[in-house]
């Protein structure tokens, strides 16, 4: 005689585990190790835009505002920088990531089949529509900021258009800069550091060649960060003939190239700060490099394929803090 109060194990509802929730969160943010099976079209669109990648560009805007030396904590300035963050994050980075997802769909089918396009979660026609909306919205918002800042020349609009073009040729044939390990990773590094920095600086001050050149030098540290992202795609890049640095030089050599560019170019910026007599800021920047070197040795250099995400989570906060220190130093020096 069976006990009706005891249900059949097959009838029990399976509650989501912490791993399930973590995978869903990773999926929504566009991170490695995501889950598949999302059905909400708006969440799928958000996945295409990879929100996790917005953070460095939003931070770059803050660094640019700091380097202008003109930012003050007024309500209007807070609103300006908030709109600029929306421009750099959801619109322009969202556009960049969606374009990259569109042209990388064959690689993603190998490396990350759970992504929205290779998994069939969204048709290509809707992806193209999203690209157009984000691009036009971003350029329009950039023009609004130019008018708001009182620019006679539409500096921010030109940066947005230039960034959009760079993003397109990075991902799309025939140029497809990401096929070349050096050009591709530097283009990515400069879009993370230089472009949002220029935008934030131009919003509150006058963008000049010193700031442009310094941030382009700083972008070589961003090149190192961009290389970290290539380790997860080695197999697909190799099969499709993309010459990422890990494919070109092997895992170990590419890992060393990565950490050396990150450390040496931050040190070069610190040397410049000493040159302009911003010694306190230079010292802080040099001290922030030390924990990065520590985590490089603990995680990344030992196993870049396994520890890439762990390394980024532990070391990158010190790099981005160093960017802000540099911005504050340049603003203090009136560069």
């Amino acid at each position: 005689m069976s006990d009706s109060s005891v249900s059949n194990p097959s009838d029990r509802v399976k509650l989501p585990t912490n791993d399930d929730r973590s995978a869903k969160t990773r999926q929504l943010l566009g991170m490695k190790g995501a889950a598949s099976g999302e059905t909400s079209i708006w969440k799928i669109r958000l996945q295409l835009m990879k929100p996790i990648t917005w953070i460095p560009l939003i931070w770059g805007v803050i660094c640019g505002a700091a380097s202008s030396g003109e930012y003050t904590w007024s309500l209007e300035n807070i609103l300006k920088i908030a709109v600029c963050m929306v421009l750099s994050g959801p619109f322009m980075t969202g556009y960049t990531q969606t374009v990259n997802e569109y042209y990388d769909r064959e690689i993603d089918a190998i490396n990350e089949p759970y992504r929205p396009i290779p998994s069939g979660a969204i048709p290509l026609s809707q992806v193209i529509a999203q690209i157009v909306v984000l691009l036009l919205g971003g350029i329009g918002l950039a023009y609004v900021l130019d008018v708001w800042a009182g620019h006679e020349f539409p500096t921010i609009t030109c940066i947005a258009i230039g960034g959009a073009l760079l993003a397109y040729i990075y991902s799309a044939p025939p140029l497809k800069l990401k096929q070349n390990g050096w050009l591709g990773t530097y283009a990515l590094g400069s879009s993370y550091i230089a472009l949002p920095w220029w935008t934030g600086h131009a919003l509150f001050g006058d963008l000049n060649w010193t700031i442009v050149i310094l941030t382009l030098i700083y972008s070589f540290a961003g090149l190192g960060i961009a290389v970290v992202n290539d380790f997860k795609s080695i197999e697909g890049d190799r099969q499709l003939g993309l010459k990422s640095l890990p494919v070109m030089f092997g895992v170990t050599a590419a890992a060393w190239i990565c950490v050396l560019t990150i450390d040496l170019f931050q040190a070069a910026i610190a040397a410049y700060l000493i040159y302009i007599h911003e010694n306190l800021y230079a010292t802080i920047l040099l001290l922030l490099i030390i924990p990065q070197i520590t985590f490089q040795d603990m995680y990344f250099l030992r196993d870049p394929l396994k520890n890439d995400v762990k390394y980024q989570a532990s070391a990158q906060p010190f790099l981005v803090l160093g960017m802000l220190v540099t911005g504050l130093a340049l603003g203090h020096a009136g560069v």
Side-chain angles (χ1 to χ4, degrees):
M1 185 175 180
S2 62
D3 186 348
S4 60
S5 65
V6 179
S7 61
N8 189 316
S10 62
D11 295 332
R12 294 173 186 166
V13 176
K14 183 179 179 181
L15 297 176
T17 65
N18 288 335
D19 288 343
D20 293 334
R21 285 189 287 268
S22 176
K24 284 292 185 181
T25 301
R26 288 174 176 272
Q27 179 192 31
L28 191 61
L29 295 176
M31 297 172 66
K32 182 179 176 182
S36 59
E38 182 58 64
T39 57
S40 168
I41 187 61
W42 296 109
K43 288 184 178 180
I44 291 168
R45 292 189 183 283
L46 194 61
Q47 289 171 42
L48 287 172
M49 296 161 64
K50 291 188 177 179
I52 195 69
T53 63
W54 304 351
I55 298 172
L57 288 97
I58 290 172
W59 189 259
V61 168
I62 296 172
C63 296
S67 69
S68 73
E70 300 294 332
Y71 181 83
T72 57
W73 289 100
S74 67
L75 178 59
E76 182 181 14
N77 283 347
I78 292 171
L79 291 174
K80 277 183 182 179
I81 201 167
V83 173
C84 194
M85 289 175 182
V86 172
L87 167 65
S88 295
F91 276 97
M92 297 313 300
T93 311
Y95 158 81
T96 299
Q97 294 297 342
T98 308
V99 168
N100 190 60
E101 290 271 324
Y102 179 83
Y103 285 104
D104 269 9
R105 57 191 185 274
E106 293 181 4
I107 298 176
D108 286 343
I110 299 169
N111 294 320
E112 300 178 273
Y114 51 80
R115 297 299 306 161
I117 298 177
S119 67
I122 186 171
L124 290 181
S125 60
Q126 291 196 33
V127 177
I128 294 171
Q130 179 165 321
I131 290 170
V132 172
V133 168
L134 290 171
L135 175 60
L136 296 181
I139 293 173
L141 196 58
Y143 182 74
V144 168
L145 285 172
D146 274 320
V147 173
W148 198 353
H151 292 161
E152 294 183 5
F153 180 81
T155 307
I156 296 174
T157 304
C158 289
I159 294 171
I161 293 172
L165 178 61
L166 180 63
Y168 181 79
I169 64 175
Y170 172 80
S171 297
L175 294 179
K176 203 173 179 70
L177 295 181
K178 68 182 302 179
Q179 289 182 329
N180 183 297
W182 292 110
L183 284 176
T185 49
Y186 182 74
L188 193 58
S190 61
S191 68
Y192 275 139
I193 295 179
L195 293 181
W197 197 310
W198 299 349
T199 305
H201 190 105
L203 184 59
F204 297 102
D206 294 322
L207 185 61
N208 57 70
W209 282 109
T210 301
I211 294 296
V212 168
I213 293 170
L214 284 173
T215 51
L216 287 174
I217 292 172
Y218 217 143
S219 294
F220 279 98
L223 179 151
I225 295 299
V227 174
V228 176
N229 296 321
D230 289 335
F231 286 91
K232 68 180 181 182
S233 306
I234 292 177
E235 188 57 37
D237 290 348
R238 186 179 290 117
Q239 289 184 30
L240 296 177
L242 298 183
K243 296 181 180 179
S244 66
L245 295 189
V247 171
M248 291 169 63
F249 297 104
V251 170
T252 301
W256 275 103
I257 291 171
C258 171
V259 300
L260 288 174
T261 53
I262 290 171
D263 299 338
L264 292 178
F265 284 97
Q266 287 182 90
I269 295 296
Y272 176 79
L273 296 183
I274 294 172
Y275 172 74
I276 61 173
H277 308 296
E278 294 294 335
N279 296 332
L280 175 60
Y281 290 105
T283 301
I284 295 172
L285 179 56
L286 289 171
L287 290 174
L288 287 169
I289 299 174
I290 296 173
Q292 295 179 63
I293 294 173
T294 302
F295 288 121
Q296 286 162 2
D297 179 60
M298 286 175 58
Y299 298 133
F300 192 66
L301 290 174
R302 298 187 184 190
D303 193 341
L305 298 177
K306 179 181 178 182
N307 296 327
D308 56 342
V309 174
K310 185 183 293 185
Y311 164 68
Q312 286 179 306
S314 57
Q316 272 190 230
F318 296 98
L319 183 144
V320 298
L321 282 174
M323 290 171 55
L324 181 58
V325 168
T326 301
L328 292 169
L330 296 175
H332 183 261
V335 173

